[in-house]
Amino acid sequence: MGADPVKALMHRHRDLCERAVDPLDIAAGLEAHGITDRTASRFLHRDVFSLAEEMYARVPRDAESRPGAPALTTPRARADWILLALLPGAICAAAVTALHLTHGQSRLIAAAAGTLAVGLAVRAALARGPLAGKDRTHATITRITWLLAYALLGDGLLQAAATGGPDALPTGTAEGPWPLTTAPVLALTLSCVPAAWCAHLFAVRARRRLSASRALEEFATSAKPLLLGTVALYLCALTALLTLTTTILNEPPAYPQTLTLGALLLLARLLTTHGFTHAPALVLTAAASAEATALATLFAARLPGCALLATPVQTLIDTWGPAAIPTIACGAGALTLLLHALRTVTRASAHARADDTC
């Protein structure tokens, strides 16, 4: 490996060493490049953290910057993202109230305006703070909007399509030929606040544990229950909000499809905010496509000779009801992202630097 293998390693990762503010930055960067504790033993170090400390100490620095590097920072709660997290729930509550106070054409106008306003508020809430993606793209936000729209309209349309309808456009109520389910959407938009707080709490606790860890495996072991606890905490908050909204709006509870959708959205945002954007985009696309395909097959089955297309979906509806489609689609997606997050978000490299948007 040569007379000074650490020097050679520093040369390969010169940019990482020069911009590091402390050894943790170097350790996380090395991990991101595939260097493990076992690899560190080749450089005569017990773990990556010890190797990073030597590399950090050997980087030339000015005299005034040498005495003490700044500690690993943690994101702080900020008023702007807290207000943005409150916005979707507030606008959705106003839109639902307008639906119950209007009639006829005025109700349709209120429904259209409310849907547009909620969609814009969700985009704003996901643009800053703990739920914001670093890439600032709107691809996953569009898929999230579709999934929320299905939570509002999908079950009613699916049930109507399975029985030969719908015979008319939605009237904005739960009693029409194409019923709306407003309680799940209201609960999900209100849950933007606990979702943002849970994501913020996860980032803070993870960075604290990273500061206290002495090995990559030690950090990963401690971060996994933290991730599971974060998801469980959010689901408890969403359950409470869903119970509240279904009671106030006098709608039947929709726990399976709402909780699985909530878990899917939270995990997708957690992965996105930590730089893992590919898997959330694929899984959200798959879930949205599954819901759209279920609807499409019911309508396509009405064509001559295509009745068999509706058999799988019709069987699920007859057995478990229309809620089975979003529950399976979102549940499978949430489980996939959870397993992926347990491998990726629990890495030190996912928490090396604080996100300025937090």
Side-chain angles (χ1 to χ4, degrees):
M1 187 176 291
D4 193 347
V6 176
K7 184 177 180 180
L9 183 65
M10 291 177 63
H11 180 73
R12 289 201 301 270
H13 301 283
R14 183 174 60 182
D15 291 341
L16 172 64
C17 295
E18 289 178 350
R19 69 171 183 264
V21 297
D22 59 17
L24 288 173
D25 270 345
I26 297 179
L30 292 177
E31 183 204 36
H33 285 87
I35 296 179
T36 64
D37 291 339
R38 178 175 297 180
T39 309
S41 64
R42 296 164 51 195
F43 298 91
L44 305 180
H45 283 273
R46 65 183 181 277
D47 52 44
V48 174
F49 280 69
S50 175
L51 175 60
E53 287 175 347
E54 179 181 347
M55 294 173 67
Y56 182 78
R58 293 173 64 172
V59 175
R61 290 182 178 84
D62 296 334
E64 61 270 14
S65 64
R66 189 180 294 274
L72 187 68
T73 57
T74 56
R76 296 181 179 180
R78 287 170 39 174
D80 58 347
W81 66 255
I82 293 175
L83 292 176
L84 287 174
L86 287 167
L87 193 60
I91 292 180
C92 188
V96 172
T97 302
L99 286 177
H100 285 77
L101 296 179
T102 54
H103 302 278
Q105 187 175 4
S106 298
R107 175 177 287 166
L108 293 178
I109 295 174
T115 301
L116 178 61
V118 170
L120 294 175
V122 170
R123 283 177 175 265
L126 298 181
R128 291 192 63 80
L131 298 177
K134 297 178 181 179
D135 55 356
R136 303 298 189 196
T137 61
H138 296 287
T140 57
I141 298 178
T142 301
R143 297 172 178 88
I144 290 172
T145 304
W146 160 265
L147 292 170
L148 290 175
Y150 187 92
L152 176 67
L153 298 165
D155 284 354
L157 178 58
L158 195 70
Q159 185 64 55
T163 56
D167 299 323
L169 293 175
T171 61
T173 66
E175 294 80 21
W178 182 350
L180 301 185
T181 50
T182 55
V185 178
L186 180 56
L188 287 165
T189 53
L190 289 172
S191 74
C192 283
V193 176
W197 185 254
C198 287
H200 171 75
L201 184 65
F202 174 71
V204 170
R205 294 292 180 87
R207 289 190 177 103
R208 287 178 181 171
R209 295 192 181 188
L210 178 57
S211 298
S213 297
R214 291 299 308 169
L216 298 176
E217 293 183 0
E218 177 187 346
F219 171 73
T221 300
S222 65
K224 288 177 181 178
L226 180 61
L227 174 63
L228 295 174
T230 299
V231 176
L233 181 62
Y234 169 73
L235 290 179
C236 289
L238 180 57
T239 301
L241 288 171
L242 184 59
T243 302
L244 178 64
T245 56
T246 53
T247 301
I248 293 175
L249 298 176
N250 195 26
E251 292 185 9
Y255 292 106
Q257 61 266 47
T258 306
L259 294 179
T260 52
L261 175 56
L264 172 62
L265 297 182
L266 177 69
L267 288 164
R269 296 317 297 176
L270 283 177
L271 284 162
T272 300
T273 55
H274 288 89
F276 305 100
T277 59
H278 185 62
L282 286 179
V283 172
L284 289 174
T285 300
S289 300
E291 294 177 346
T293 301
L295 287 170
T297 54
L298 289 180
F299 288 107
R302 299 178 184 181
L303 297 174
C306 297
L308 287 178
L309 291 176
T311 301
V313 176
Q314 191 67 55
T315 301
L316 286 175
I317 295 174
D318 293 340
T319 306
W320 291 298
I325 302 300
T327 300
I328 293 174
C330 295
L335 181 59
T336 301
L337 288 186
L338 178 61
L339 295 176
H340 184 63
L342 287 171
R343 292 192 308 104
T344 55
V345 180
T346 57
R347 295 175 183 171
S349 54
H351 305 274
R353 286 183 176 81
D355 188 355
D356 294 336
T357 62
C358 291

